[in-house]
Amino acid sequence: IESSPSSRNRSVHLMWKPLKTFPPSGRILGYKIRYFPEKKTAHKRTNNSTENKITLLLNEEAHIISVTAYNSAGESPEAILRIPSIDEESYQVIETVMTSTTNEEVVVQWIASEPKTTKYVVEWYEELEMDPFGRSWQYVSNSTEWKNNKSMFISYSSKNPSEGPVADTDILGKNEVTIKWNEISKAKRNGFITNYTIFYKPEDGKELNETVNSDVLQYRLKSLQADTQYTVRIMASNKAGGTSGEQKTFKTLKF
């Protein structure tokens, strides 16, 4: 819902998904979107769309919106949504949201202030996405946890990250060192970062590497040679490929 800075009108960007059980025969020909002010049921309007999205211009009143799919066999049952008025106070049901990742999955968990709530919507989109329709969502029933494969979140950008992370060293020892780095700026990721790779090489030796998940921003390199100079660089990767940051040099302790 986008409010107008100069009036009390709003642009409501509406999206929907067709039921997998419809149509009983043939294909969906289009959708009918009916809407009216909640207290003025006689003022019903109808729009048609062949896409599963539409933008409606509504005034400040609360509105009821319904969507049906239709084909040669008839119309589907209605999906109904209420749009609150501008002056209605909203209340926060979700108190806390926690996210974590595994090698294959993204896990989202939340705590609700209203235990009687049984149905939620999980929505995701790229942080720099400007298109109001450039997002995805799923319903979750009778649970406060949602899991999905990481592939659902991979950007389809055809460009590598514009720059790589800059490595720094910490807790230098005789046979180990902790390598740290910061995330590259969102504007230069060109999509979602999928992993980081730490490349390290002893002087006059063979280059080795370790790969970690995208939520890891430091890594301890072990089994290093004592009193030896190393070079290290970090590569950030997205679906298109990887880009390395500047190379850094460090020397392990002698004793």
Side-chain angles (χ1 to χ4, degrees), residues 8 24 34 37 44 49 54 85 89 91 97 104 110 115 119 131 133 136 158 196 201 223 246:
R8 290 173 66 83
R34 300 177 175 94
K44 182 178 287 189
S49 175
I54 195 171
S85 71
E89 289 189 19
Y91 62 98
V97 178
E104 300 296 332
W110 58 92
K119 198 168 189 178
D131 181 1
F133 295 115
S136 302
S158 59
Y196 295 102
K201 178 181 178 297
S223 302
E246 292 183 14

mmCIF file of all heavy atoms in Angstrom, residues 8 24 34 37 44 49 54 85 89 91 97 104 110 115 119 131 133 136 158 196 201 223 246:
data_model
loop_
_atom_site.group_PDB
_atom_site.id
_atom_site.type_symbol
_atom_site.label_atom_id
_atom_site.label_comp_id
_atom_site.label_asym_id
_atom_site.label_seq_id
_atom_site.Cartn_x
_atom_site.Cartn_y
_atom_site.Cartn_z
ATOM 1 N N ARG A 8 -5.207 11.894 0.377
ATOM 2 C CA ARG A 8 -5.491 10.735 1.226
ATOM 3 C C ARG A 8 -5.794 9.492 0.390
ATOM 4 O O ARG A 8 -6.281 8.490 0.908
ATOM 5 C CB ARG A 8 -6.653 11.061 2.170
ATOM 6 C CG ARG A 8 -6.264 12.084 3.240
ATOM 7 C CD ARG A 8 -7.454 12.525 4.061
ATOM 8 N NE ARG A 8 -8.029 11.466 4.872
ATOM 9 C CZ ARG A 8 -7.572 11.101 6.074
ATOM 10 N NH1 ARG A 8 -6.498 11.693 6.587
ATOM 11 N NH2 ARG A 8 -8.173 10.147 6.762
ATOM 12 N N PRO A 24 -11.514 -26.568 -13.242
ATOM 13 C CA PRO A 24 -11.869 -27.972 -13.422
ATOM 14 C C PRO A 24 -11.674 -28.426 -14.857
ATOM 15 O O PRO A 24 -11.475 -29.593 -15.116
ATOM 16 C CB PRO A 24 -13.350 -28.015 -13.009
ATOM 17 C CG PRO A 24 -13.842 -26.613 -13.199
ATOM 18 C CD PRO A 24 -12.669 -25.725 -12.909
ATOM 19 N N ARG A 34 -13.204 -7.306 -7.687
ATOM 20 C CA ARG A 34 -14.332 -6.481 -7.255
ATOM 21 C C ARG A 34 -13.961 -5.802 -5.941
ATOM 22 O O ARG A 34 -13.393 -6.443 -5.049
ATOM 23 C CB ARG A 34 -15.582 -7.339 -7.084
ATOM 24 C CG ARG A 34 -16.025 -8.048 -8.369
ATOM 25 C CD ARG A 34 -17.228 -8.944 -8.119
ATOM 26 N NE ARG A 34 -17.742 -9.538 -9.346
ATOM 27 C CZ ARG A 34 -17.385 -10.741 -9.804
ATOM 28 N NH1 ARG A 34 -16.496 -11.472 -9.125
ATOM 29 N NH2 ARG A 34 -17.895 -11.209 -10.927
ATOM 30 N N PRO A 37 -16.027 0.376 -0.851
ATOM 31 C CA PRO A 37 -15.821 0.839 0.525
ATOM 32 C C PRO A 37 -16.638 -0.023 1.487
ATOM 33 O O PRO A 37 -17.782 -0.382 1.196
ATOM 34 C CB PRO A 37 -16.329 2.286 0.501
ATOM 35 C CG PRO A 37 -16.262 2.688 -0.937
ATOM 36 C CD PRO A 37 -16.563 1.441 -1.715
ATOM 37 N N LYS A 44 -19.884 -0.716 -5.604
ATOM 38 C CA LYS A 44 -18.972 -1.788 -6.022
ATOM 39 C C LYS A 44 -18.444 -1.526 -7.426
ATOM 40 O O LYS A 44 -19.182 -1.125 -8.320
ATOM 41 C CB LYS A 44 -19.677 -3.142 -5.977
ATOM 42 C CG LYS A 44 -18.781 -4.318 -6.357
ATOM 43 C CD LYS A 44 -19.507 -5.648 -6.242
ATOM 44 C CE LYS A 44 -19.710 -6.045 -4.803
ATOM 45 N NZ LYS A 44 -20.232 -7.434 -4.677
ATOM 46 N N SER A 49 -8.430 -8.548 -15.204
ATOM 47 C CA SER A 49 -6.989 -8.651 -15.438
ATOM 48 C C SER A 49 -6.668 -10.038 -15.977
ATOM 49 O O SER A 49 -7.272 -11.031 -15.558
ATOM 50 C CB SER A 49 -6.212 -8.412 -14.137
ATOM 51 O OG SER A 49 -4.822 -8.618 -14.340
ATOM 52 N N ILE A 54 -2.583 -6.430 -9.930
ATOM 53 C CA ILE A 54 -3.252 -5.211 -10.380
ATOM 54 C C ILE A 54 -2.987 -4.119 -9.347
ATOM 55 O O ILE A 54 -2.739 -4.418 -8.169
ATOM 56 C CB ILE A 54 -4.774 -5.436 -10.553
ATOM 57 C CG1 ILE A 54 -5.397 -4.302 -11.370
ATOM 58 C CG2 ILE A 54 -5.463 -5.577 -9.196
ATOM 59 C CD1 ILE A 54 -6.840 -4.570 -11.770
ATOM 60 N N SER A 85 -8.737 1.347 6.780
ATOM 61 C CA SER A 85 -8.764 2.774 6.466
ATOM 62 C C SER A 85 -7.446 3.418 6.894
ATOM 63 O O SER A 85 -6.678 2.849 7.679
ATOM 64 C CB SER A 85 -9.933 3.452 7.176
ATOM 65 O OG SER A 85 -9.680 3.521 8.575
ATOM 66 N N GLU A 89 -5.706 2.313 13.567
ATOM 67 C CA GLU A 89 -4.434 2.029 14.230
ATOM 68 C C GLU A 89 -4.070 0.562 14.022
ATOM 69 O O GLU A 89 -4.884 -0.325 14.249
ATOM 70 C CB GLU A 89 -4.526 2.333 15.731
ATOM 71 C CG GLU A 89 -4.589 3.813 16.056
ATOM 72 C CD GLU A 89 -4.464 4.071 17.548
ATOM 73 O OE1 GLU A 89 -3.985 3.168 18.264
ATOM 74 O OE2 GLU A 89 -4.858 5.162 17.984
ATOM 75 N N TYR A 91 -1.721 -2.769 14.954
ATOM 76 C CA TYR A 91 -1.038 -3.295 16.126
ATOM 77 C C TYR A 91 -0.096 -4.410 15.689
ATOM 78 O O TYR A 91 -0.342 -5.119 14.719
ATOM 79 C CB TYR A 91 -2.034 -3.802 17.170
ATOM 80 C CG TYR A 91 -2.914 -4.936 16.712
ATOM 81 C CD1 TYR A 91 -2.590 -6.254 17.033
ATOM 82 C CD2 TYR A 91 -4.066 -4.700 15.968
ATOM 83 C CE1 TYR A 91 -3.392 -7.304 16.613
ATOM 84 C CE2 TYR A 91 -4.875 -5.742 15.547
ATOM 85 C CZ TYR A 91 -4.530 -7.036 15.875
ATOM 86 O OH TYR A 91 -5.321 -8.069 15.453
ATOM 87 N N VAL A 97 11.524 -11.627 15.099
ATOM 88 C CA VAL A 97 11.786 -12.508 13.961
ATOM 89 C C VAL A 97 13.251 -12.913 13.998
ATOM 90 O O VAL A 97 14.132 -12.071 14.185
ATOM 91 C CB VAL A 97 11.474 -11.819 12.617
ATOM 92 C CG1 VAL A 97 11.810 -12.751 11.454
ATOM 93 C CG2 VAL A 97 10.014 -11.407 12.554
ATOM 94 N N GLU A 104 21.710 -25.792 2.979
ATOM 95 C CA GLU A 104 20.683 -25.902 1.947
ATOM 96 C C GLU A 104 19.454 -25.030 2.188
ATOM 97 O O GLU A 104 18.730 -24.715 1.252
ATOM 98 C CB GLU A 104 20.223 -27.374 1.831
ATOM 99 C CG GLU A 104 21.319 -28.351 1.454
ATOM 100 C CD GLU A 104 21.878 -28.091 0.064
ATOM 101 O OE1 GLU A 104 21.123 -27.568 -0.776
ATOM 102 O OE2 GLU A 104 23.052 -28.398 -0.171
ATOM 103 N N TRP A 110 9.540 -16.964 14.399
ATOM 104 C CA TRP A 110 9.031 -15.727 14.976
ATOM 105 C C TRP A 110 8.230 -16.010 16.239
ATOM 106 O O TRP A 110 7.785 -17.129 16.485
ATOM 107 C CB TRP A 110 8.184 -14.965 13.959
ATOM 108 C CG TRP A 110 7.016 -15.723 13.408
ATOM 109 C CD1 TRP A 110 5.736 -15.736 13.878
ATOM 110 C CD2 TRP A 110 7.019 -16.593 12.256
ATOM 111 N NE1 TRP A 110 4.944 -16.548 13.108
ATOM 112 C CE2 TRP A 110 5.697 -17.080 12.104
ATOM 113 C CE3 TRP A 110 8.002 -16.992 11.351
ATOM 114 C CZ2 TRP A 110 5.350 -17.957 11.077
ATOM 115 C CZ3 TRP A 110 7.653 -17.862 10.335
ATOM 116 C CH2 TRP A 110 6.344 -18.334 10.201
ATOM 117 N N PRO A 115 -1.346 -15.445 20.767
ATOM 118 C CA PRO A 115 -1.206 -16.898 20.568
ATOM 119 C C PRO A 115 -2.344 -17.534 19.778
ATOM 120 O O PRO A 115 -2.196 -18.632 19.254
ATOM 121 C CB PRO A 115 -1.160 -17.445 22.003
ATOM 122 C CG PRO A 115 -1.789 -16.390 22.849
ATOM 123 C CD PRO A 115 -1.483 -15.082 22.190
ATOM 124 N N LYS A 119 -2.522 -18.292 11.348
ATOM 125 C CA LYS A 119 -2.119 -18.201 9.946
ATOM 126 C C LYS A 119 -1.265 -16.959 9.728
ATOM 127 O O LYS A 119 -1.609 -15.873 10.196
ATOM 128 C CB LYS A 119 -3.346 -18.156 9.034
ATOM 129 C CG LYS A 119 -3.047 -18.492 7.579
ATOM 130 C CD LYS A 119 -4.335 -18.724 6.799
ATOM 131 C CE LYS A 119 -4.060 -19.263 5.407
ATOM 132 N NZ LYS A 119 -5.308 -19.545 4.663
ATOM 133 N N ASP A 131 10.357 -2.486 -7.564
ATOM 134 C CA ASP A 131 9.070 -2.867 -8.132
ATOM 135 C C ASP A 131 8.177 -3.434 -7.027
ATOM 136 O O ASP A 131 8.540 -4.418 -6.378
ATOM 137 C CB ASP A 131 9.285 -3.919 -9.223
ATOM 138 C CG ASP A 131 7.986 -4.350 -9.890
ATOM 139 O OD1 ASP A 131 6.914 -3.826 -9.517
ATOM 140 O OD2 ASP A 131 8.046 -5.221 -10.780
ATOM 141 N N PHE A 133 5.721 -5.241 -7.208
ATOM 142 C CA PHE A 133 5.318 -6.609 -7.521
ATOM 143 C C PHE A 133 6.508 -7.576 -7.534
ATOM 144 O O PHE A 133 6.331 -8.760 -7.797
ATOM 145 C CB PHE A 133 4.612 -6.655 -8.878
ATOM 146 C CG PHE A 133 3.310 -5.902 -8.907
ATOM 147 C CD1 PHE A 133 3.163 -4.783 -9.707
ATOM 148 C CD2 PHE A 133 2.242 -6.307 -8.127
ATOM 149 C CE1 PHE A 133 1.965 -4.087 -9.738
ATOM 150 C CE2 PHE A 133 1.040 -5.619 -8.143
ATOM 151 C CZ PHE A 133 0.899 -4.501 -8.952
ATOM 152 N N SER A 136 7.873 -12.305 -3.410
ATOM 153 C CA SER A 136 7.237 -13.621 -3.328
ATOM 154 C C SER A 136 6.696 -13.817 -1.923
ATOM 155 O O SER A 136 7.130 -13.155 -0.979
ATOM 156 C CB SER A 136 8.256 -14.724 -3.651
ATOM 157 O OG SER A 136 8.825 -14.542 -4.935
ATOM 158 N N SER A 158 23.186 -11.443 -13.840
ATOM 159 C CA SER A 158 24.228 -12.059 -14.664
ATOM 160 C C SER A 158 25.588 -11.436 -14.389
ATOM 161 O O SER A 158 26.527 -11.640 -15.141
ATOM 162 C CB SER A 158 23.872 -11.902 -16.146
ATOM 163 O OG SER A 158 23.740 -10.528 -16.477
ATOM 164 N N TYR A 196 31.523 -17.183 0.797
ATOM 165 C CA TYR A 196 32.830 -16.526 0.744
ATOM 166 C C TYR A 196 33.904 -17.609 0.665
ATOM 167 O O TYR A 196 33.768 -18.677 1.272
ATOM 168 C CB TYR A 196 33.081 -15.681 1.992
ATOM 169 C CG TYR A 196 32.148 -14.509 2.160
ATOM 170 C CD1 TYR A 196 31.086 -14.566 3.058
ATOM 171 C CD2 TYR A 196 32.331 -13.337 1.437
ATOM 172 C CE1 TYR A 196 30.229 -13.488 3.225
ATOM 173 C CE2 TYR A 196 31.480 -12.255 1.599
ATOM 174 C CZ TYR A 196 30.433 -12.342 2.494
ATOM 175 O OH TYR A 196 29.589 -11.275 2.656
ATOM 176 N N LYS A 201 48.086 -18.370 0.921
ATOM 177 C CA LYS A 201 49.248 -18.978 0.270
ATOM 178 C C LYS A 201 50.519 -18.604 1.028
ATOM 179 O O LYS A 201 50.780 -17.425 1.278
ATOM 180 C CB LYS A 201 49.329 -18.472 -1.176
ATOM 181 C CG LYS A 201 50.514 -18.970 -1.984
ATOM 182 C CD LYS A 201 50.465 -18.369 -3.387
ATOM 183 C CE LYS A 201 51.653 -18.804 -4.223
ATOM 184 N NZ LYS A 201 52.945 -18.332 -3.669
ATOM 185 N N SER A 223 46.794 -25.035 11.108
ATOM 186 C CA SER A 223 47.871 -25.853 10.513
ATOM 187 C C SER A 223 48.760 -25.034 9.584
ATOM 188 O O SER A 223 49.210 -25.507 8.531
ATOM 189 C CB SER A 223 47.279 -27.052 9.753
ATOM 190 O OG SER A 223 46.480 -27.842 10.609
ATOM 191 N N GLU A 246 41.089 -7.018 -2.118
ATOM 192 C CA GLU A 246 42.534 -6.790 -2.112
ATOM 193 C C GLU A 246 43.258 -7.862 -1.300
ATOM 194 O O GLU A 246 42.749 -8.362 -0.305
ATOM 195 C CB GLU A 246 42.841 -5.411 -1.530
ATOM 196 C CG GLU A 246 42.386 -4.255 -2.404
ATOM 197 C CD GLU A 246 42.778 -2.915 -1.802
ATOM 198 O OE1 GLU A 246 43.612 -2.904 -0.866
ATOM 199 O OE2 GLU A 246 42.254 -1.893 -2.258
#
